[in-house]
Amino acid sequence: MAKLLNVQAFKDFFRSGQIGGVILLVCVAVSLFIANSSYAPAFSTLLATDFGFTFGTQIYSFTVSAWINDALMAVFFLLVGLEIKREMIEGELSSVKKASLPVIAALGGMLVPAFIYFMFNKGQSTASGWGIPMATDIAFALAIISMLGKSVPTSLKVFLAALAIVDDLGAILVIAVFYTNEVHFHYLLMAGGVLALLLIFNFFNIKPLYFYLIPGVFLWYFIHHSGIHATIAGVLLALTIPTNKTNIESPLEKLEHLLNGPVNYFIMPIFALANTNITFQKEMVDGLASPLGLGIIVGLFAGKTIGVTLFSWIGVKLKLGSLPTRSGWKHIIGLGMLAGIGFTMSIFISLLSFSDELHITEAKFAVLCASVISGLVGFIFLKSIPKKKSEVIA
């Protein structure tokens, strides 16, 4: 029964990711149009506008951009955290045998792109952006592979989802460890107290979601002020939500179901709308040939392809795992290409990597170009693999 439950949850997650990817694409186009029209100044002013509320003597006010990148994206990371936990409990990451190859492939898909970026930017002012090409965008990657329909085995789609989930976990750890500038330990201590309370609720199997969501708001606030990026609060909160292996819907599955729509249809599109407003300039095209641009493009497209394929090959040869059912090495190469669609997470890490606006803009443009190349080439490559001549796994 647990398997049936997990398959249905995966179908829901996949379906929402598929449609969400299309909405994301529309929002990217709208954002680019606004940024290159007479509406650009007004839109920039809107994003820089402060709003919030006052509670007693405290004023809680942030810019629209900060609310999107720090608050709304924390909800996105909450959903990612829920998906990671569920897959670890009853899904594709629930056993060493199941999880080994997606984890190994994801590891290669993170290390090789980061190394390529580092080699291009070693000694440069842009060296801090090494985390940008490590990420895979779940929504876009699933949207592209869904367009292939029966041209690829269903198992490959599940493998890509598992790989992207592990990839996101890696990106979360990178953000927490390497993109935190200053830590205020008294806020971190308070966040730890809230987290301990949530773990106690989990230990006693308290199921009403408000026991977790209300303290979760305070967890977000304390982590936000601690210096660690506030989106980490979403993941920590997710790990405390109770789940089970029965056919009874758990609080985790209930919350995941509730968040799928808002995250994929609202939060991620809003993030894309706010953060891909790139005003095209000649310098940006030149920037694609700079160490920053090359590090991102080569890292995402070639690095992901090489990393995922090479590490998968090593994993299979060492008998640490086996390739997805009815798939061959050409499928893994194509999947590696699709993993180069970095978009949401890559742009997010770009915002954390640089303080120079030009570097941020060039990084966004490079991520956009790399994601288009990866998605288009990956789609064509996978589509070109004859079903009857797919490689047989040894």
Side-chain angles (χ1 to χ4, degrees):
M1 186 61 70
K3 282 189 174 181
L4 291 176
L5 188 63
N6 181 60
V7 168
Q8 184 57 49
F10 171 76
K11 286 180 178 178
D12 292 340
F13 180 77
F14 179 74
R15 190 179 298 113
S16 63
Q18 173 185 338
I19 300 173
V22 176
I23 297 174
L24 265 179
L25 198 59
V26 172
C27 286
V28 170
V30 171
S31 184
L32 292 174
F33 169 76
I34 292 173
N36 293 277
S37 71
S38 58
Y39 300 107
F43 190 62
S44 296
T45 301
L46 173 63
L47 292 176
T49 302
D50 281 299
F51 83 94
F53 59 93
T54 301
F55 186 77
T57 59
Q58 296 293 316
I59 299 175
Y60 304 93
S61 182
F62 305 99
T63 64
V64 172
S65 181
W67 278 112
I68 293 170
N69 294 331
D70 292 348
L72 288 184
M73 285 302 286
V75 180
F76 164 76
F77 277 96
L78 171 59
L79 178 60
V80 170
L82 292 171
E83 178 66 11
I84 290 170
K85 181 173 180 178
R86 183 174 54 76
E87 290 294 330
M88 291 176 69
I89 296 296
E90 59 174 351
E92 291 302 310
L93 306 176
S94 61
S95 68
V96 174
K97 185 177 180 180
K98 284 184 176 182
S100 57
L101 202 64
V103 170
I104 291 168
L107 185 62
M110 290 185 283
L111 293 178
V112 175
F115 177 74
I116 289 174
Y117 182 94
F118 172 77
M119 294 306 294
F120 273 109
N121 290 270
K122 185 179 180 181
Q124 304 287 328
S125 61
T126 51
S128 60
W130 57 269
I132 298 171
M134 294 177 68
T136 295
D137 189 287
I138 294 178
F140 269 136
L142 291 181
I144 295 297
I145 203 169
S146 71
M147 295 176 188
L148 291 163
K150 295 181 179 180
S151 298
V152 296
T154 302
S155 61
L156 198 70
K157 300 174 184 178
V158 177
F159 187 87
L160 176 60
L163 183 151
I165 288 165
V166 175
D167 191 289
D168 269 355
L169 178 58
I172 290 163
L173 294 174
V174 166
I175 292 170
V177 176
F178 297 102
Y179 290 97
T180 296
N181 296 322
E182 183 181 2
V183 177
H184 301 286
F185 287 100
H186 60 292
Y187 279 111
L188 200 58
L189 188 62
M190 287 187 279
V194 175
L195 183 61
L197 178 65
L198 290 168
L199 290 172
I200 291 171
F201 289 161
N202 178 280
F203 179 79
F204 287 104
N205 199 30
I206 295 176
K207 294 183 178 180
L209 284 171
Y210 57 82
F211 275 93
Y212 300 91
L213 298 182
I214 294 174
V217 174
F218 290 93
L219 180 66
W220 174 87
Y221 178 81
F222 292 140
I223 288 182
H224 181 275
H225 283 71
S226 73
I228 297 175
H229 203 274
T231 51
I232 303 302
V235 180
L236 294 176
L237 174 60
L239 297 179
T240 67
I241 306 295
T243 188
N244 56 54
K245 292 185 178 181
T246 70
N247 61 338
I248 300 173
E249 185 182 47
S250 69
L252 183 145
E253 288 157 340
K254 181 179 180 180
L255 183 58
E256 185 181 358
H257 179 73
L258 289 172
L259 290 179
N260 261 323
V263 167
N264 286 288
Y265 305 149
F266 176 71
I267 291 176
M268 290 180 70
I270 288 294
F271 176 84
L273 196 64
N275 290 289
T276 55
N277 57 324
I278 304 168
T279 302
F280 292 113
Q281 302 168 353
K282 180 179 179 298
E283 292 78 10
M284 289 171 53
V285 178
D286 296 336
L288 293 178
S290 69
L292 172 61
L294 288 173
I296 292 173
I297 293 175
V298 178
L300 277 173
F301 178 64
K304 282 286 186 180
T305 305
I306 295 169
V308 168
T309 306
L310 177 61
F311 275 59
S312 294
W313 181 83
I314 293 172
V316 170
K317 289 301 177 183
L318 294 178
K319 301 187 183 302
L320 298 175
S322 58
L323 294 186
T325 307
R326 294 177 52 245
S327 66
W329 288 110
K330 287 183 179 179
H331 289 112
I332 298 301
I333 293 171
L335 185 142
M337 293 175 182
L338 291 185
I341 304 174
F343 200 69
T344 307
M345 287 296 293
S346 291
I347 288 178
F348 188 69
I349 295 176
S350 298
L351 299 174
L352 302 177
S353 299
F354 310 118
S355 55
D356 187 300
E357 284 297 324
L358 180 59
H359 287 160
I360 292 174
T361 302
E362 288 181 348
K364 287 180 181 179
F365 187 54
V367 168
L368 187 62
C369 292
S371 297
V372 170
I373 293 169
S374 297
L376 188 60
V377 176
F379 178 87
I380 294 172
F381 184 85
L382 286 169
K383 190 72 174 177
S384 69
I385 301 174
K387 288 184 65 177
K388 293 182 180 179
K389 296 181 181 180
S390 296
E391 295 180 50
V392 178
I393 301 142

